[in-house]
Amino acid sequence: MLSAVSEIPAAEPELAAAHYAAKLAFETDCSDVLAAFAAGNVDFVLLDVRSPALFAQSHVPGAINLPHGKMTAHRMSEWARDTLFVVYCAGPHCNGADKAALRLARLGLRAKLMMGGMTGWADEGFAFESQPDAAE
């Protein structure tokens, strides 16, 4: 008798490789973002898409606050068209980062979601920074 795990056969390796490669084209994780900043190899723009007040209280170091509703063609023209944007919000319970990634894609820009957002960053034990003077 098969377990609930193996009851449905695993995908063939070629299909699995294609699936996970496609998945990673849409997302990154907190560890990879931190490693990029630590190595000084930041080839993306990290966007915190929460409210300015929440950003001021606490955010991922190196992030820029830009709520998805303020992502307009004019605002995004500050960056080169081939810029990769990594977006995050509060965490898995929040779809703000998904909305931001969708908005960026509709503007013809590349985006990845930082899985876990603020919750994921905290779960990894990574430090936050605050910027009380950044509140609008």
Side-chain angles (χ1 to χ4, degrees), residues 26 71 76 81 85 98-112:
F26 295 98
M71 292 178 181
M76 302 316 294
R81 295 289 300 164
F85 295 94
D98 296 292
K99 290 176 181 177
L102 174 61
R103 185 173 296 249
L104 291 169
R106 286 182 172 162
L107 290 170
L109 301 169
R110 297 180 313 130
K112 285 189 175 189

PDB file of all heavy atoms in Angstrom, residues 26 71 76 81 85 98-112:
ATOM      1  N   PHE A  26      10.327  33.608 -10.533  1.00  0.00           N
ATOM      2  CA  PHE A  26       9.324  34.499  -9.945  1.00  0.00           C
ATOM      3  C   PHE A  26       9.610  34.896  -8.503  1.00  0.00           C
ATOM      4  O   PHE A  26       8.964  35.791  -7.976  1.00  0.00           O
ATOM      5  CB  PHE A  26       7.935  33.836  -9.986  1.00  0.00           C
ATOM      6  CG  PHE A  26       7.430  33.614 -11.372  1.00  0.00           C
ATOM      7  CD1 PHE A  26       7.561  32.375 -11.968  1.00  0.00           C
ATOM      8  CD2 PHE A  26       6.836  34.645 -12.090  1.00  0.00           C
ATOM      9  CE1 PHE A  26       7.090  32.161 -13.257  1.00  0.00           C
ATOM     10  CE2 PHE A  26       6.370  34.441 -13.374  1.00  0.00           C
ATOM     11  CZ  PHE A  26       6.506  33.194 -13.964  1.00  0.00           C
ATOM     12  N   MET A  71       3.385  52.878  -7.865  1.00  0.00           N
ATOM     13  CA  MET A  71       4.235  52.388  -8.954  1.00  0.00           C
ATOM     14  C   MET A  71       3.600  52.771 -10.280  1.00  0.00           C
ATOM     15  O   MET A  71       2.779  52.046 -10.831  1.00  0.00           O
ATOM     16  CB  MET A  71       4.414  50.872  -8.852  1.00  0.00           C
ATOM     17  CG  MET A  71       5.205  50.432  -7.666  1.00  0.00           C
ATOM     18  SD  MET A  71       5.321  48.642  -7.591  1.00  0.00           S
ATOM     19  CE  MET A  71       6.265  48.448  -6.098  1.00  0.00           C
ATOM     20  N   MET A  76       8.511  54.757 -12.096  1.00  0.00           N
ATOM     21  CA  MET A  76       9.433  53.653 -12.365  1.00  0.00           C
ATOM     22  C   MET A  76      10.469  54.016 -13.422  1.00  0.00           C
ATOM     23  O   MET A  76      11.474  53.330 -13.562  1.00  0.00           O
ATOM     24  CB  MET A  76       8.664  52.395 -12.761  1.00  0.00           C
ATOM     25  CG  MET A  76       7.654  51.916 -11.702  1.00  0.00           C
ATOM     26  SD  MET A  76       8.251  51.914  -9.980  1.00  0.00           S
ATOM     27  CE  MET A  76       9.519  50.663 -10.062  1.00  0.00           C
ATOM     28  N   ARG A  81      15.198  50.273 -17.757  1.00  0.00           N
ATOM     29  CA  ARG A  81      14.143  49.311 -18.121  1.00  0.00           C
ATOM     30  C   ARG A  81      14.507  47.875 -17.756  1.00  0.00           C
ATOM     31  O   ARG A  81      13.622  47.062 -17.534  1.00  0.00           O
ATOM     32  CB  ARG A  81      13.836  49.374 -19.622  1.00  0.00           C
ATOM     33  CG  ARG A  81      13.244  50.661 -20.104  1.00  0.00           C
ATOM     34  CD  ARG A  81      11.843  50.926 -19.695  1.00  0.00           C
ATOM     35  NE  ARG A  81      10.885  49.937 -20.134  1.00  0.00           N
ATOM     36  CZ  ARG A  81       9.661  49.818 -19.634  1.00  0.00           C
ATOM     37  NH1 ARG A  81       9.258  50.647 -18.700  1.00  0.00           N
ATOM     38  NH2 ARG A  81       8.834  48.908 -20.067  1.00  0.00           N
ATOM     39  N   PHE A  85      13.495  44.215  -9.972  1.00  0.00           N
ATOM     40  CA  PHE A  85      12.933  44.668  -8.707  1.00  0.00           C
ATOM     41  C   PHE A  85      12.583  43.450  -7.863  1.00  0.00           C
ATOM     42  O   PHE A  85      11.966  42.506  -8.361  1.00  0.00           O
ATOM     43  CB  PHE A  85      11.681  45.524  -8.938  1.00  0.00           C
ATOM     44  CG  PHE A  85      11.977  46.802  -9.654  1.00  0.00           C
ATOM     45  CD1 PHE A  85      11.853  46.885 -11.036  1.00  0.00           C
ATOM     46  CD2 PHE A  85      12.410  47.920  -8.958  1.00  0.00           C
ATOM     47  CE1 PHE A  85      12.150  48.059 -11.709  1.00  0.00           C
ATOM     48  CE2 PHE A  85      12.709  49.097  -9.619  1.00  0.00           C
ATOM     49  CZ  PHE A  85      12.582  49.163 -11.008  1.00  0.00           C
ATOM     50  N   ASP A  98       2.570  40.613  -4.154  1.00  0.00           N
ATOM     51  CA  ASP A  98       2.027  40.056  -5.398  1.00  0.00           C
ATOM     52  C   ASP A  98       1.436  41.170  -6.267  1.00  0.00           C
ATOM     53  O   ASP A  98       1.626  41.194  -7.483  1.00  0.00           O
ATOM     54  CB  ASP A  98       0.952  39.008  -5.093  1.00  0.00           C
ATOM     55  CG  ASP A  98       1.508  37.806  -4.373  1.00  0.00           C
ATOM     56  OD1 ASP A  98       2.286  37.053  -4.986  1.00  0.00           O
ATOM     57  OD2 ASP A  98       1.166  37.616  -3.195  1.00  0.00           O
ATOM     58  N   LYS A  99       0.706  42.090  -5.623  1.00  0.00           N
ATOM     59  CA  LYS A  99       0.130  43.217  -6.354  1.00  0.00           C
ATOM     60  C   LYS A  99       1.231  44.081  -6.965  1.00  0.00           C
ATOM     61  O   LYS A  99       1.109  44.563  -8.096  1.00  0.00           O
ATOM     62  CB  LYS A  99      -0.766  44.050  -5.433  1.00  0.00           C
ATOM     63  CG  LYS A  99      -2.049  43.336  -5.051  1.00  0.00           C
ATOM     64  CD  LYS A  99      -2.855  44.161  -4.072  1.00  0.00           C
ATOM     65  CE  LYS A  99      -4.135  43.436  -3.674  1.00  0.00           C
ATOM     66  NZ  LYS A  99      -4.897  44.205  -2.667  1.00  0.00           N
ATOM     67  N   ALA A 100       2.312  44.277  -6.210  1.00  0.00           N
ATOM     68  CA  ALA A 100       3.429  45.072  -6.719  1.00  0.00           C
ATOM     69  C   ALA A 100       4.103  44.378  -7.898  1.00  0.00           C
ATOM     70  O   ALA A 100       4.395  45.022  -8.912  1.00  0.00           O
ATOM     71  CB  ALA A 100       4.444  45.309  -5.606  1.00  0.00           C
ATOM     72  N   ALA A 101       4.345  43.082  -7.779  1.00  0.00           N
ATOM     73  CA  ALA A 101       4.972  42.341  -8.876  1.00  0.00           C
ATOM     74  C   ALA A 101       4.088  42.375 -10.121  1.00  0.00           C
ATOM     75  O   ALA A 101       4.583  42.540 -11.244  1.00  0.00           O
ATOM     76  CB  ALA A 101       5.261  40.902  -8.449  1.00  0.00           C
ATOM     77  N   LEU A 102       2.799  42.251  -9.927  1.00  0.00           N
ATOM     78  CA  LEU A 102       1.862  42.330 -11.051  1.00  0.00           C
ATOM     79  C   LEU A 102       1.918  43.714 -11.695  1.00  0.00           C
ATOM     80  O   LEU A 102       1.989  43.849 -12.921  1.00  0.00           O
ATOM     81  CB  LEU A 102       0.436  42.007 -10.588  1.00  0.00           C
ATOM     82  CG  LEU A 102      -0.663  42.192 -11.631  1.00  0.00           C
ATOM     83  CD1 LEU A 102      -0.426  41.286 -12.832  1.00  0.00           C
ATOM     84  CD2 LEU A 102      -2.026  41.910 -10.992  1.00  0.00           C
ATOM     85  N   ARG A 103       1.894  44.749 -10.885  1.00  0.00           N
ATOM     86  CA  ARG A 103       1.937  46.111 -11.408  1.00  0.00           C
ATOM     87  C   ARG A 103       3.235  46.343 -12.196  1.00  0.00           C
ATOM     88  O   ARG A 103       3.230  46.914 -13.281  1.00  0.00           O
ATOM     89  CB  ARG A 103       1.809  47.135 -10.292  1.00  0.00           C
ATOM     90  CG  ARG A 103       1.735  48.559 -10.805  1.00  0.00           C
ATOM     91  CD  ARG A 103       1.440  49.528  -9.689  1.00  0.00           C
ATOM     92  NE  ARG A 103       0.130  49.286  -9.126  1.00  0.00           N
ATOM     93  CZ  ARG A 103      -0.904  50.120  -9.256  1.00  0.00           C
ATOM     94  NH1 ARG A 103      -0.768  51.224  -9.947  1.00  0.00           N
ATOM     95  NH2 ARG A 103      -2.053  49.844  -8.688  1.00  0.00           N
ATOM     96  N   LEU A 104       4.352  45.883 -11.637  1.00  0.00           N
ATOM     97  CA  LEU A 104       5.633  46.042 -12.330  1.00  0.00           C
ATOM     98  C   LEU A 104       5.633  45.295 -13.657  1.00  0.00           C
ATOM     99  O   LEU A 104       6.088  45.824 -14.675  1.00  0.00           O
ATOM    100  CB  LEU A 104       6.775  45.571 -11.431  1.00  0.00           C
ATOM    101  CG  LEU A 104       7.042  46.459 -10.210  1.00  0.00           C
ATOM    102  CD1 LEU A 104       7.996  45.767  -9.251  1.00  0.00           C
ATOM    103  CD2 LEU A 104       7.573  47.821 -10.625  1.00  0.00           C
ATOM    104  N   ALA A 105       5.121  44.081 -13.642  1.00  0.00           N
ATOM    105  CA  ALA A 105       5.059  43.295 -14.886  1.00  0.00           C
ATOM    106  C   ALA A 105       4.198  44.000 -15.924  1.00  0.00           C
ATOM    107  O   ALA A 105       4.549  44.046 -17.111  1.00  0.00           O
ATOM    108  CB  ALA A 105       4.534  41.898 -14.595  1.00  0.00           C
ATOM    109  N   ARG A 106       3.086  44.560 -15.490  1.00  0.00           N
ATOM    110  CA  ARG A 106       2.211  45.276 -16.425  1.00  0.00           C
ATOM    111  C   ARG A 106       2.862  46.538 -16.971  1.00  0.00           C
ATOM    112  O   ARG A 106       2.494  47.022 -18.034  1.00  0.00           O
ATOM    113  CB  ARG A 106       0.873  45.593 -15.752  1.00  0.00           C
ATOM    114  CG  ARG A 106       0.004  44.363 -15.606  1.00  0.00           C
ATOM    115  CD  ARG A 106      -1.321  44.685 -14.987  1.00  0.00           C
ATOM    116  NE  ARG A 106      -2.214  43.526 -15.038  1.00  0.00           N
ATOM    117  CZ  ARG A 106      -3.301  43.387 -14.288  1.00  0.00           C
ATOM    118  NH1 ARG A 106      -3.639  44.335 -13.432  1.00  0.00           N
ATOM    119  NH2 ARG A 106      -4.046  42.309 -14.402  1.00  0.00           N
ATOM    120  N   LEU A 107       3.844  47.058 -16.241  1.00  0.00           N
ATOM    121  CA  LEU A 107       4.601  48.216 -16.709  1.00  0.00           C
ATOM    122  C   LEU A 107       5.789  47.782 -17.575  1.00  0.00           C
ATOM    123  O   LEU A 107       6.586  48.624 -17.999  1.00  0.00           O
ATOM    124  CB  LEU A 107       5.095  49.049 -15.519  1.00  0.00           C
ATOM    125  CG  LEU A 107       4.018  49.809 -14.745  1.00  0.00           C
ATOM    126  CD1 LEU A 107       4.592  50.400 -13.459  1.00  0.00           C
ATOM    127  CD2 LEU A 107       3.407  50.907 -15.627  1.00  0.00           C
ATOM    128  N   GLY A 108       5.897  46.476 -17.796  1.00  0.00           N
ATOM    129  CA  GLY A 108       6.976  45.954 -18.631  1.00  0.00           C
ATOM    130  C   GLY A 108       8.294  45.784 -17.906  1.00  0.00           C
ATOM    131  O   GLY A 108       9.348  45.722 -18.533  1.00  0.00           O
ATOM    132  N   LEU A 109       8.234  45.688 -16.572  1.00  0.00           N
ATOM    133  CA  LEU A 109       9.437  45.576 -15.755  1.00  0.00           C
ATOM    134  C   LEU A 109       9.559  44.186 -15.136  1.00  0.00           C
ATOM    135  O   LEU A 109       8.567  43.498 -14.936  1.00  0.00           O
ATOM    136  CB  LEU A 109       9.408  46.646 -14.661  1.00  0.00           C
ATOM    137  CG  LEU A 109       9.327  48.080 -15.193  1.00  0.00           C
ATOM    138  CD1 LEU A 109       9.025  49.048 -14.065  1.00  0.00           C
ATOM    139  CD2 LEU A 109      10.606  48.450 -15.921  1.00  0.00           C
ATOM    140  N   ARG A 110      10.785  43.819 -14.829  1.00  0.00           N
ATOM    141  CA  ARG A 110      11.052  42.508 -14.225  1.00  0.00           C
ATOM    142  C   ARG A 110      10.946  42.591 -12.705  1.00  0.00           C
ATOM    143  O   ARG A 110      11.430  43.555 -12.103  1.00  0.00           O
ATOM    144  CB  ARG A 110      12.453  42.020 -14.608  1.00  0.00           C
ATOM    145  CG  ARG A 110      12.619  41.813 -16.092  1.00  0.00           C
ATOM    146  CD  ARG A 110      14.008  41.328 -16.492  1.00  0.00           C
ATOM    147  NE  ARG A 110      15.067  42.081 -15.852  1.00  0.00           N
ATOM    148  CZ  ARG A 110      16.099  41.519 -15.214  1.00  0.00           C
ATOM    149  NH1 ARG A 110      16.230  40.217 -15.148  1.00  0.00           N
ATOM    150  NH2 ARG A 110      17.024  42.263 -14.653  1.00  0.00           N
ATOM    151  N   ALA A 111      10.319  41.578 -12.119  1.00  0.00           N
ATOM    152  CA  ALA A 111      10.147  41.564 -10.671  1.00  0.00           C
ATOM    153  C   ALA A 111      10.207  40.142 -10.132  1.00  0.00           C
ATOM    154  O   ALA A 111       9.814  39.195 -10.805  1.00  0.00           O
ATOM    155  CB  ALA A 111       8.815  42.195 -10.282  1.00  0.00           C
ATOM    156  N   LYS A 112      10.716  40.045  -8.920  1.00  0.00           N
ATOM    157  CA  LYS A 112      10.673  38.805  -8.157  1.00  0.00           C
ATOM    158  C   LYS A 112      10.114  39.129  -6.782  1.00  0.00           C
ATOM    159  O   LYS A 112      10.326  40.223  -6.250  1.00  0.00           O
ATOM    160  CB  LYS A 112      12.070  38.191  -7.979  1.00  0.00           C
ATOM    161  CG  LYS A 112      12.622  37.532  -9.213  1.00  0.00           C
ATOM    162  CD  LYS A 112      13.888  36.769  -8.859  1.00  0.00           C
ATOM    163  CE  LYS A 112      14.396  35.991 -10.047  1.00  0.00           C
ATOM    164  NZ  LYS A 112      15.481  35.085  -9.653  1.00  0.00           N
TER     165      LYS A 112
END
